[in-house]
Amino acid sequence: MSGELVLNRRKPTRPLISLVPMIDVMLILLVFFMVTSTYLNLDMIPALSKQDREPLSDATEGRQPAGAMLIRIGADGAAYFQGRPFEQDALAQMLANRLAAEPAVQVIILPTGSARMQALVSVMDTVTTAGVTNMRVVRLEARP
C-alpha cells in the first residue's frame, strides 16, 4: 500500500441563529413602551377645524348659538333631565318640542358608570328618532 492516506472530514456546520432571545427582547421592549407611553384622549381632538365649518349665513349671524340639553342615564337605566326621570316616549316628546323651538339644539348624554349598555343605546335611539342631529355621549372617569 503505497498510497497517501486521505481523511474525509466533515465540514463543521454553521451554528443556527436562534430567534428566541430576539423575541424575548422584543417582548420586553413592547411591555416597556406600553407602560411608559402617554395615551391621548382622542375625544378631545375636534373632527372639523374652524376653516372646514360652513360659514354663517345672514339669517343665522344675528341669532345666538343653540343651547345644550344634558340627559343623564342613571344606574336603573332611566333617562333623567334636570333631575326628573323620563320614560322613552316622554323624552321623545320633550325633544321634539325643544327641536321645534330650537332646531340646532345639542344633546349631551351622560351615562353613569353602572348604567347598562342597552339603556344607553335606547336613549340614543330615542334621541335620533326625535330628529336630533347634534348628539354627544360623554363618559366621565375618576382620576387620581
Side-chain angles (χ1 to χ4, degrees), residues 49-110:
S49 65
K50 290 183 180 180
Q51 294 89 0
D52 294 339
R53 295 183 183 153
E54 296 179 16
L56 295 175
S57 65
D58 294 335
T60 59
E61 282 181 4
R63 199 171 8 153
Q64 292 291 334
M69 295 177 62
L70 178 67
I71 299 173
R72 186 177 61 83
I73 301 174
D76 57 350
Y80 291 87
F81 178 69
Q82 295 180 345
R84 295 186 322 229
F86 279 87
E87 294 293 326
Q88 301 295 333
D89 297 333
L91 182 64
Q93 183 63 36
M94 180 190 61
L95 288 169
N97 293 341
R98 182 76 183 260
L99 277 174
E102 212 172 334
V105 68
Q106 179 181 14
V107 176
I108 301 170
I109 301 173
L110 177 66

Side-chain angles (χ1 to χ4, degrees), residues 1-99:
M1 289 209 295
S2 69
E4 295 179 20
L5 183 61
V6 178
L7 295 175
N8 290 332
R9 292 187 182 175
R10 294 177 58 198
K11 291 183 181 179
T13 60
R14 296 177 54 189
L16 295 174
I17 298 174
S18 176
L19 294 178
V20 174
M22 185 184 72
I23 294 171
D24 292 343
V25 169
M26 294 302 291
L27 182 64
I28 290 170
L29 286 174
L30 176 69
V31 170
F32 173 76
F33 286 121
M34 285 176 58
V35 169
T36 60
S37 295
T38 303
Y39 297 104
L40 294 175
N41 184 359
L42 296 179
D43 294 333
M44 299 302 293
I45 299 173
L48 294 174
S49 65
K50 290 183 180 180
Q51 294 89 0
D52 294 339
R53 295 183 183 153
E54 296 179 16
L56 295 175
S57 65
D58 294 335
T60 59
E61 282 181 4
R63 199 171 8 153
Q64 292 291 334
M69 295 177 62
L70 178 67
I71 299 173
R72 186 177 61 83
I73 301 174
D76 57 350
Y80 291 87
F81 178 69
Q82 295 180 345
R84 295 186 322 229
F86 279 87
E87 294 293 326
Q88 301 295 333
D89 297 333
L91 182 64
Q93 183 63 36
M94 180 190 61
L95 288 169
N97 293 341
R98 182 76 183 260
L99 277 174

